[in-house]
Amino acid sequence: EADIYQTPRYLVIGTGKKITLECSQTMGHDKMYWYQQDPGMELHLIHYSYGVNSTEKGDLSSESTVSRIRTEHFPLTLESARPSHTSQYLCASVSPGLAGEEGTGELFFGEGSRLTVL
Amino acid sequence: KNQVEQSPQSLIILEGKNCTLQCNYTVSPFSNLRWYKQDTGRGPVSLTIMTFSENTKSNGRYTATLDADTKQSSLHITASQLSDSASYICVVYDRGSTLGRLYFGRGTQLTVWP
């Protein structure tokens, strides 16, 4: 079992509300990611962080913001939710990988937060 | 066009049967490829990693192959079980990218019937 946790698992809110999706990991990983996943589609990177006080936007244009004040915590915030934000949000952290082998780190995912905006 | 294509999109097999899932990629330069299993309503979990120099690797009933020349990988599941019902996602690492880009396939949805 991966030591990475997301809350809430399910959230139904009205348009215009502010929401924060929580993500915490206890593995001490520096790299963390937020992905958006829609049915039958590939995961899309929306934010990433390579360590404390490091955050960047991913490939998918997103109106959300993230913060990384502590290594273990990587919350995602939507200031004003819209129906187009309805999706599954997955948080992940990356292990260091095989010695001398770039990019071999394993992604450890949380169980996801399924957001529905009415 | 996605740089990682998986086939079939979905597959239904009977319990106890074998199956093979395919992953074709165009990512270059290639570094490594991982297969993940995603149960419904859960996050993906890594099954195996294939680095450039590896051709085949087994993890229990799962066997992954890699042909870096043709840019193809397969995941073979032997003696399927009901618990194998899940989406299987192929993820390729682009070592040529500055920030370590990962490319995801859309997954193959496997259903195992009793």
Side-chain angles (χ1 to χ4, degrees):
Chain A
E1 285 291 319
D3 294 321
I4 180 165
Y5 309 98
Q6 289 186 241
T7 58
R9 289 290 311 280
Y10 303 93
L11 182 61
V12 181
I13 60 170
T15 297
K17 299 294 185 184
K18 176 180 178 179
I19 63 121
T20 296
L21 304 181
E22 302 286 349
C23 177
S24 295
Q25 52 100 0
T26 59
M27 296 172 283
H29 293 162
D30 288 323
K31 294 181 182 179
M32 295 189 74
Y33 302 86
W34 275 102
Y35 291 95
Q36 189 170 334
Q37 184 181 34
D38 294 310
M41 301 297 290
E42 65 267 35
L43 274 69
H44 288 288
L45 180 67
I46 50 176
H47 294 284
Y48 61 94
S49 168
Y50 282 3
V52 171
N53 295 325
S54 154
T55 62
E56 299 288 345
K57 285 188 179 293
D59 306 314
L60 186 66
S61 175
S62 174
E63 292 156 356
S64 58
T65 59
V66 292
S67 63
R68 190 88 183 274
I69 300 173
R70 303 196 315 266
T71 297
E72 61 270 23
H73 197 212
F74 191 39
L76 181 146
T77 298
L78 268 171
E79 290 293 334
S80 180
R82 295 204 304 271
S84 61
H85 295 137
T86 294
S87 188
Q88 165 96 323
Y89 293 85
L90 288 167
C91 178
S93 67
V94 186
S95 64
L98 304 173
E101 297 267 9
E102 179 191 346
T104 55
E106 177 180 345
L107 284 167
F108 290 89
F109 287 89
E111 297 205 329
S113 292
R114 180 163 295 283
L115 174 64
T116 302
V117 184
L118 304 176
Chain B
K1 185 181 187 300
N2 197 4
Q3 294 205 40
V4 179
E5 298 284 352
Q6 291 188 242
S7 61
Q9 183 177 343
S10 62
L11 181 63
I12 299 174
I13 61 173
L14 294 177
E15 186 179 14
K17 298 296 186 182
N18 304 335
C19 67
T20 300
L21 315 180
Q22 298 289 344
C23 174
N24 295 341
Y25 61 91
T26 57
V27 176
S28 182
F30 169 84
S31 173
N32 64 78
L33 177 154
R34 276 191 187 269
W35 285 94
Y36 286 82
K37 177 187 179 188
Q38 184 176 21
D39 293 317
T40 301
R42 309 289 292 271
V45 175
S46 178
L47 293 174
T48 188
I49 180 173
M50 302 296 291
T51 59
F52 185 84
S53 59
E54 294 175 306
N55 298 118
T56 185
K57 183 182 289 184
S58 291
N59 177 8
R61 293 180 298 102
Y62 301 103
T63 299
T65 66
L66 174 67
D67 185 333
D69 292 329
T70 61
K71 294 183 169 38
Q72 296 180 325
S73 177
S74 67
L75 182 69
H76 185 75
I77 304 175
T78 303
S80 61
Q81 300 176 358
L82 299 180
S83 59
D84 292 332
S85 294
S87 178
Y88 292 83
I89 302 171
C90 176
V91 184
V92 180
Y93 178 80
D94 175 9
R95 68 179 174 87
S97 65
T98 305
L99 298 174
R101 174 72 184 270
L102 292 172
Y103 288 90
F104 290 80
R106 294 185 176 185
T108 292
Q109 183 65 48
L110 174 66
T111 303
V112 181
W113 283 2

